[in-house]
Amino acid sequence: MDFQLSKEHQMVRTLFQTIAQKEVKPYAQDVDEEERFPKEAYEKFCRYGFMGIPYPKEWGGQGCDTLTYAMCVEEVAKVCCASSTLLSAHTSLGTWPIYKYGTEEQKRKYMPKLTSGEYLGAFGLTEPNAGTDSSAQRTTAVLKGDHYLLNGSKIFITNAGYADLYVVFAMTERNLGNHGISAFIIEKGFPGFSVGKPEKKMGIRGSATCELFFKDCVVPKENLLGQEGKGFIIAMTTLDGGRIGIAAQALGLAEGALNETIQYVKERKQFGRALSKFQNTQFAIAEMLTKTQAAQLLLYKAAIAKDRQKSVSLEAAEAKLFCADVAMDVTTRCVQLHGGYGYMREYAVERMMRDAKITEIYEGTSEVQKMVISKYAFK
Amino acid sequence: MGSKVLNIIVCIKQVPNIREARLDPGTGTMLRDAIPSIMNPDDKAALEAALRLKDSRGAHVTVLSMGPPQAETALREALAMGADEAFLLTDRAFAGSDTCATAYTIAAAIKVMKYDLIFTGRQAIDGDTAQVGPQIAEHLQIANISYAEKITVQADAVIVTSRLDNCSYVVKAKMPCLITTLSELNEPRYMTPGGVFEAYREEIKKITRRNLDADSKRLGQKGSPTHIAQTCAKSAKTTGIVADHLNSQEAAEYLLEKLREQLIIS
């Protein structure tokens, strides 16, 4: 067991930190304030190879491991959570299922475009009446000769409207429940496919979130991902990886808020001395640093396991549950330490606290993570 | 040059990240462990210039550094940015080199290598001497063009726009030659994530005293005529006042007045 990052990982972290600070942070507040897609970050991610970090070079990726990818999401989330959402949804949810389950032809067609960022990826599983209960899918796909016809809708889809490719789930056999779900690769221009208005959200306001509509949407037969009926497995294994991305994002939020707060309490004076001189502040910072460190260890363990184990359901669920919990707790306490200023939008911790909440909800709520984890306890 | 590969050697130095580095009170030299190290900014611009030539017309880019074993990190960074090969000149025999011994040692290493162009940064942010580049050129008996602003390769020559204080001049030199660059020359690229991991799989070739055809008396502290008498912090300069739109008569009067105000003349 080695708790030291390798020299490569240390160097690549410095790279992510530099790019996040110089190229992403300057837009973070504006992206939130204006509720706009972080296009500057997206351009930079494409240019600097961030869109395909954990994929092999032969598919146009950077050939790095999952830990490197997680550190990238973490560093970006320290300064701009919405930008890290774009990256995580693209890499873990939009690209991974194609890399893992795609045919050679599908991979040849889509992987280089995805890993370079020419195509932005997205993922559509959730429906208005099928959140945690994904077996209640109403979107259907019917095979008609050389194509499927998709009908239905998806909700809360990250990167929607900006994405070029969506991995979408639909029922091919309604009476089979989860076993009747199939996965499809949908390109943005497919006839019968449209994107709804952007949702107004509490946090990650720069992240594009919309509804997807399918009205007799024509999907070529060769865009079925995996086999018919394998959609549920594809969705669940994809989300295992996605949870590592969200855990990394949650961790980054906690670390980012702590960085801001440590700086603030050193400067802010009350009763004639800096807040950092009060034991209440010192203890709060100490507790938050310790929790954040613990969260990082759980996340890195899951990330390393992803490259070594067949399944990381348990590790990913634990990491996401804990990191999201830490993110919510730490950002809330950081706002508290900022006092009135922390409630003002001018201060980054205000945004970070709003952003943190989603990490307890999307890609499986904290309750879902507990369901996954407890399943292993009673196996 | 036809199909011949252009060989570029870029000399880089690892330097402490901040200018207010702590000094050893005994020797007056820098305490290197106390602060994080980076690739010297002018040198990074030199590397970027070389990599741009590689991108635009093809070139083999070799990076070379002289320093303690940890200078390897700067070379790995250069590889991660896109350099093809890296050499580290490192030996206790080289310790304590001033610019004279450093240039002699680097030139001794370079003279057995293939090169058409040598790029160095103008100066390092730790020593600020700006001497090593030109001295290397002298040792190798090749032309030296300093403060490059723009670099174009044309057949067997290089055309460089050099920047002076208020003007630029354009120089054409036959290759091989040495060019020193300013950090303002370009915006150096970032490493790529994958490049970092590849850089660590590559070998940093070490050059020690034994591999070098050099005179021992000219190496390290022994070969360094410079002796640091005293090192102290520079006092801060105040910003100057620009007084334009004055004719020479008015300017002289203005100057006299200011000098009197400051009690410099009476």
Side-chain angles (χ1 to χ4, degrees):
Chain A
M1 198 168 251
D2 187 357
F3 289 101
Q4 277 289 335
L5 283 181
S6 70
K7 284 184 174 171
E8 295 90 310
H9 286 105
Q10 286 174 39
M11 187 180 272
V12 87
R13 179 195 282 291
T14 311
L15 170 70
F16 294 148
Q17 251 163 16
T18 310
I19 293 178
Q21 288 292 333
K22 281 196 187 160
E23 317 279 358
V24 182
K25 192 178 182 181
Y27 306 103
Q29 195 184 0
D30 186 57
V31 155
D32 177 70
E33 219 35 72
E34 304 294 323
E35 294 190 65
R36 65 174 182 83
F37 184 74
K39 59 177 193 312
E40 296 90 350
Y42 178 36
E43 275 165 25
K44 302 281 158 65
F45 294 163
C46 295
R47 193 181 317 158
Y48 305 136
F50 287 13
M51 301 303 276
I53 290 174
Y55 301 107
K57 296 227 153 181
E58 56 172 311
W59 295 117
Q62 291 289 318
C64 300
D65 55 10
T66 305
L67 176 60
T68 304
Y69 159 61
M71 291 199 306
C72 183
V73 175
E74 177 189 348
E75 291 301 333
V76 173
K78 276 187 193 175
V79 299
C80 179
C81 190
S83 299
S84 74
T85 301
L86 173 171
L87 186 61
S88 181
H90 166 84
T91 309
S92 291
L93 304 185
T95 309
W96 190 82
I98 292 172
Y99 170 64
K100 177 72 181 174
Y101 297 102
T103 60
E104 278 298 300
E105 209 183 319
Q106 287 170 338
K107 287 203 262 189
R108 252 201 311 276
K109 186 168 178 192
Y110 295 117
M111 281 302 290
K113 289 199 165 92
L114 286 164
T115 53
S116 67
E118 184 190 337
Y119 272 19
L120 181 65
F123 177 90
L125 174 67
T126 300
E127 294 185 5
N129 293 307
T132 297
D133 179 12
S134 55
S135 66
Q137 300 271 317
R138 294 245 175 98
T139 302
T140 57
V142 180
L143 185 61
K144 299 264 183 201
D146 63 349
H147 63 268
Y148 286 90
L149 279 185
L150 260 68
N151 279 287
S153 68
K154 297 286 167 185
I155 198 170
F156 307 148
I157 306 307
T158 300
N159 289 346
Y162 293 88
D164 303 275
L165 181 153
Y166 300 77
V167 174
V168 169
F169 299 84
M171 282 283 186
T172 38
E173 283 280 355
R174 172 152 275 185
N175 44 14
L176 289 181
N178 283 337
H179 298 289
I181 303 175
S182 302
F184 298 90
I185 304 169
I186 312 286
E187 291 184 37
K188 67 175 173 193
F190 281 2
F193 170 55
S194 61
V195 176
K197 279 207 302 263
E199 303 285 355
K200 297 216 167 278
K201 304 189 295 295
M202 171 196 279
I204 53 163
R205 286 158 41 119
S207 176
T209 313
C210 312
E211 233 177 313
L212 308 181
F213 301 107
F214 304 93
K215 201 173 171 204
D216 286 330
C217 173
V218 182
V219 180
K221 204 174 147 187
E222 60 268 23
N223 276 34
L224 172 72
L225 183 62
Q227 293 138 343
E228 272 196 23
K230 293 289 181 205
F232 185 71
I233 299 283
I234 294 174
M236 290 304 120
T237 50
T238 301
L239 287 171
D240 283 344
R243 283 166 192 163
I244 291 174
I246 303 309
Q249 171 174 77
L251 172 66
L253 271 168
E255 291 170 320
L258 259 172
N259 289 346
E260 295 284 332
T261 305
I262 289 169
Q263 195 57 37
Y264 179 80
V265 297
K266 283 198 286 194
E267 287 161 10
R268 170 76 171 164
K269 283 197 174 72
Q270 288 289 276
F271 301 105
R273 45 188 188 148
L275 291 189
S276 60
K277 300 288 180 204
F278 291 89
Q279 200 173 48
N280 178 61
T281 310
Q282 293 163 356
F283 283 8
I285 297 283
E287 283 165 17
M288 290 192 282
L289 280 172
T290 309
K291 284 178 102 169
T292 307
Q293 274 289 308
Q296 192 180 58
L297 288 176
L298 261 186
L299 167 67
Y300 288 6
K301 183 187 163 204
I304 291 167
K306 178 90 167 50
D307 298 333
R308 295 185 185 169
Q309 288 172 203
K310 205 159 167 248
S311 163
V312 283
S313 286
L314 175 64
E315 290 83 353
E318 286 175 339
K320 181 178 182 279
L321 173 65
F322 193 71
C323 290
D325 183 51
V326 169
M328 201 63 243
D329 179 49
V330 167
T331 53
T332 308
R333 291 172 76 179
C334 284
V335 167
Q336 192 68 19
L337 281 174
H338 274 72
Y341 289 104
Y343 201 69
M344 299 298 134
R345 298 239 284 257
E346 191 190 335
Y347 285 78
V349 290
E350 182 273 342
R351 179 184 78 239
M352 289 168 166
M353 181 179 158
R354 282 187 287 108
D355 288 348
K357 187 62 202 170
I358 192 62
T359 66
E360 294 186 319
I361 298 171
Y362 65 2
E363 299 197 31
T365 61
S366 289
E367 291 71 23
V368 165
Q369 311 312 321
K370 289 175 194 172
M371 284 160 61
V372 173
I373 297 161
S374 60
K375 218 182 272 173
Y376 283 84
F378 302 121
K379 218 160 126 180
Chain B
M1 306 275 294
S3 61
K4 189 177 158 280
V5 179
L6 186 73
N7 284 298
I8 308 176
I9 296 175
V10 184
C11 298
I12 63 171
K13 185 181 186 185
Q14 191 183 44
V15 292
N17 197 1
I18 41 172
R19 283 168 186 271
E20 60 268 26
R22 285 200 289 131
L23 303 174
D24 183 331
T27 62
T29 51
M30 194 106 44
L31 289 168
R32 284 174 190 278
D33 294 342
I35 28 177
S37 299
I38 54 165
M39 192 191 304
N40 182 52
D42 281 354
D43 303 352
K44 209 176 208 178
L47 175 60
E48 177 62 29
L51 293 173
R52 285 186 189 181
L53 284 175
K54 180 183 168 178
D55 291 343
S56 64
R57 48 139 14 252
H60 181 86
V61 177
T62 302
V63 278
L64 173 76
S65 188
M66 177 168 143
Q70 58 266 32
E72 196 186 301
T73 311
L75 290 168
R76 301 248 182 236
E77 187 182 344
L79 289 171
M81 286 170 69
D84 300 293
E85 211 181 352
F87 289 90
L88 177 62
L89 269 159
T90 188
D91 200 304
R92 281 180 185 282
F94 306 151
S97 294
D98 65 1
T99 64
C100 180
T102 301
Y104 175 74
T105 314
I106 292 175
I110 289 179
K111 74 183 175 202
V112 295
M113 295 179 176
K114 267 204 268 179
Y115 62 89
D116 302 294
L117 285 171
I118 300 170
F119 283 169
T120 74
R122 169 194 49 178
Q123 64 193 48
I125 57 169
D126 55 353
D128 276 333
T129 66
Q131 291 166 2
V132 173
Q135 286 190 59
I136 293 172
E138 283 303 305
H139 283 296
L140 297 170
Q141 311 235 308
I142 57 173
N144 163 43
I145 307 168
S146 288
Y147 311 157
E149 204 170 46
K150 193 172 160 231
I151 301 161
T152 332
V153 171
Q154 212 176 62
D156 62 347
V158 65
I159 298 163
V160 179
T161 309
S162 266
R163 186 193 296 176
L164 291 182
D165 273 349
N166 304 319
C167 62
S168 295
Y169 63 104
V170 181
V171 188
K172 184 172 180 180
K174 214 170 163 203
M175 293 195 284
C177 68
L178 184 143
I179 298 168
T180 78
T181 56
L182 304 169
S183 60
E184 295 85 2
L185 171 67
N186 51 42
E187 181 79 32
R189 68 197 62 196
Y190 290 110
M191 300 177 278
T192 58
V196 171
F197 287 83
E198 273 168 26
Y200 273 90
R201 282 194 285 271
E202 277 175 52
E203 187 202 356
I204 303 284
K205 298 174 185 108
K206 300 246 163 63
I207 304 173
T208 60
R209 169 70 192 94
R210 281 190 304 140
N211 321 120
L212 219 56
D213 174 22
D215 177 356
S216 285
K217 288 197 292 293
R218 300 183 68 179
L219 298 174
Q221 197 117 46
K222 263 191 293 181
S224 300
T226 313
H227 292 285
I228 298 165
Q230 195 199 349
T231 315
C232 53
K234 215 165 52 171
S235 56
K237 256 194 208 166
T238 52
T239 23
I241 302 163
V242 178
D244 44 11
H245 311 302
L246 299 176
N247 63 34
S248 50
Q249 176 72 29
E250 286 164 349
E253 280 167 12
Y254 179 80
L255 195 60
L256 274 173
E257 186 190 327
K258 286 285 164 196
L259 289 170
R260 283 197 187 103
E261 255 175 40
Q262 302 285 324
L263 304 175
I264 294 167
I265 54 171
S266 52

Coordinates of all heavy atoms in Angstrom, one line a residue, chain A residues 42 46 51 90 109-121 162-165 188:
Chain A
Y42 N -14.7 24.6 -22.2 CA -14.8 23.5 -23.1 C -13.7 23.6 -24.2 O -13.1 22.6 -24.5 CB -16.2 23.5 -23.7 CG -16.5 22.5 -24.8 CD1 -16.0 21.2 -24.7 CD2 -17.3 22.8 -25.9 CE1 -16.3 20.3 -25.7 CE2 -17.6 21.9 -26.9 CZ -17.0 20.6 -26.8 OH -17.3 19.7 -27.8
C46 N -10.7 20.8 -24.8 CA -10.4 20.2 -26.1 C -8.9 20.4 -26.5 O -8.2 19.4 -26.9 CB -11.3 20.8 -27.2 SG -13.0 20.4 -27.0
M51 N -10.4 16.0 -22.9 CA -11.7 15.3 -23.2 C -11.6 13.8 -23.3 O -12.6 13.1 -23.5 CB -12.3 15.9 -24.5 CG -12.6 17.4 -24.4 SD -13.7 17.9 -23.0 CE -15.3 17.6 -23.8
H90 N -19.2 14.1 -20.0 CA -18.7 13.7 -21.3 C -17.8 12.5 -21.3 O -18.0 11.5 -22.0 CB -17.9 14.9 -21.9 CG -17.0 14.5 -23.1 ND1 -17.5 14.5 -24.4 CD2 -15.7 14.1 -23.1 CE1 -16.5 14.1 -25.2 NE2 -15.4 13.8 -24.4
K109 N -15.9 5.1 -35.5 CA -16.7 6.2 -35.9 C -16.8 7.3 -34.9 O -16.7 8.5 -35.2 CB -18.1 5.7 -36.2 CG -19.0 6.8 -36.8 CD -20.3 6.2 -37.4 CE -21.2 7.3 -37.9 NZ -22.5 6.8 -38.2
Y110 N -16.9 6.9 -33.6 CA -17.1 7.9 -32.6 C -16.0 8.2 -31.6 O -15.9 9.3 -31.1 CB -18.4 7.5 -31.8 CG -19.7 7.5 -32.6 CD1 -20.4 6.3 -32.8 CD2 -20.1 8.7 -33.1 CE1 -21.6 6.3 -33.5 CE2 -21.3 8.7 -33.9 CZ -22.0 7.5 -34.1 OH -23.2 7.5 -34.8
M111 N -15.2 7.2 -31.3 CA -14.2 7.5 -30.2 C -13.2 8.6 -30.5 O -13.0 9.5 -29.7 CB -13.4 6.2 -29.9 CG -14.1 5.2 -29.0 SD -14.6 5.8 -27.4 CE -13.0 6.0 -26.6
P112 N -12.6 8.7 -31.7 CA -11.6 9.8 -31.9 C -12.3 11.2 -31.8 O -11.7 12.1 -31.3 CB -11.1 9.5 -33.4 CG -11.4 8.1 -33.6 CD -12.6 7.7 -32.9
K113 N -13.6 11.2 -32.3 CA -14.3 12.5 -32.2 C -14.6 12.9 -30.7 O -14.5 14.0 -30.3 CB -15.6 12.4 -33.0 CG -15.4 12.4 -34.5 CD -16.7 12.8 -35.2 CE -16.4 13.1 -36.7 NZ -16.6 12.0 -37.6
L114 N -14.9 11.8 -29.9 CA -15.2 12.1 -28.5 C -14.0 12.4 -27.7 O -13.9 13.4 -26.9 CB -15.9 10.9 -27.9 CG -17.4 10.6 -28.3 CD1 -17.8 9.2 -28.0 CD2 -18.3 11.7 -27.7
T115 N -12.9 11.7 -27.9 CA -11.7 11.9 -27.1 C -11.0 13.2 -27.5 O -10.3 13.8 -26.6 CB -10.7 10.7 -27.3 OG1 -10.4 10.5 -28.7 CG2 -11.2 9.4 -26.7
S116 N -11.2 13.7 -28.7 CA -10.6 15.0 -29.0 C -11.5 16.1 -28.6 O -11.1 17.3 -28.5 CB -10.4 15.1 -30.5 OG -11.7 15.1 -31.2
G117 N -12.8 15.8 -28.3 CA -13.7 16.9 -27.9 C -14.5 17.5 -29.1 O -15.3 18.3 -28.9
E118 N -14.2 17.0 -30.3 CA -14.9 17.5 -31.5 C -16.4 17.2 -31.2 O -17.3 18.0 -31.6 CB -14.4 16.8 -32.7 CG -15.0 17.3 -34.0 CD -14.7 16.4 -35.2 OE1 -13.7 15.7 -35.2 OE2 -15.5 16.4 -36.2
Y119 N -16.7 16.0 -30.7 CA -18.0 15.7 -30.3 C -18.1 15.8 -28.7 O -17.3 15.2 -28.1 CB -18.3 14.2 -30.7 CG -18.9 14.1 -32.0 CD1 -18.8 15.0 -33.0 CD2 -19.6 12.9 -32.4 CE1 -19.3 14.8 -34.3 CE2 -20.2 12.7 -33.6 CZ -20.0 13.7 -34.6 OH -20.5 13.5 -35.8
L120 N -19.1 16.5 -28.3 CA -19.4 16.5 -26.8 C -20.4 15.4 -26.5 O -21.4 15.2 -27.3 CB -19.9 17.8 -26.4 CG -20.2 18.0 -24.9 CD1 -18.9 17.9 -24.1 CD2 -20.9 19.4 -24.6
G121 N -20.1 14.6 -25.5 CA -21.0 13.5 -25.2 C -22.0 13.7 -24.1 O -21.7 14.6 -23.2
Y162 N -25.8 21.1 -26.3 CA -24.4 21.3 -26.7 C -23.8 20.0 -27.2 O -22.8 20.1 -27.9 CB -23.6 22.0 -25.6 CG -24.0 23.4 -25.3 CD1 -25.0 23.6 -24.4 CD2 -23.5 24.5 -26.0 CE1 -25.5 24.9 -24.1 CE2 -24.0 25.7 -25.8 CZ -25.0 25.9 -24.8 OH -25.4 27.2 -24.6
A163 N -24.3 18.9 -26.7 CA -23.7 17.6 -27.0 C -24.0 17.3 -28.5 O -25.0 17.7 -29.1 CB -24.3 16.6 -26.1
D164 N -23.1 16.5 -29.1 CA -23.2 16.0 -30.4 C -23.7 14.6 -30.4 O -24.1 14.1 -31.4 CB -21.9 16.1 -31.2 CG -21.3 17.5 -31.1 OD1 -21.7 18.3 -32.0 OD2 -20.5 17.8 -30.2
L165 N -23.5 13.9 -29.3 CA -23.8 12.5 -29.2 C -24.4 12.2 -27.8 O -23.9 12.7 -26.8 CB -22.5 11.7 -29.4 CG -22.5 10.2 -29.4 CD1 -21.4 9.6 -30.2 CD2 -22.4 9.7 -28.0
K188 N -26.9 14.3 -32.7 CA -27.8 15.4 -32.5 C -28.7 15.7 -33.7 O -29.8 16.2 -33.5 CB -27.0 16.7 -32.1 CG -26.2 17.2 -33.2 CD -25.6 18.5 -32.8 CE -24.6 19.0 -33.8 NZ -23.7 20.1 -33.4

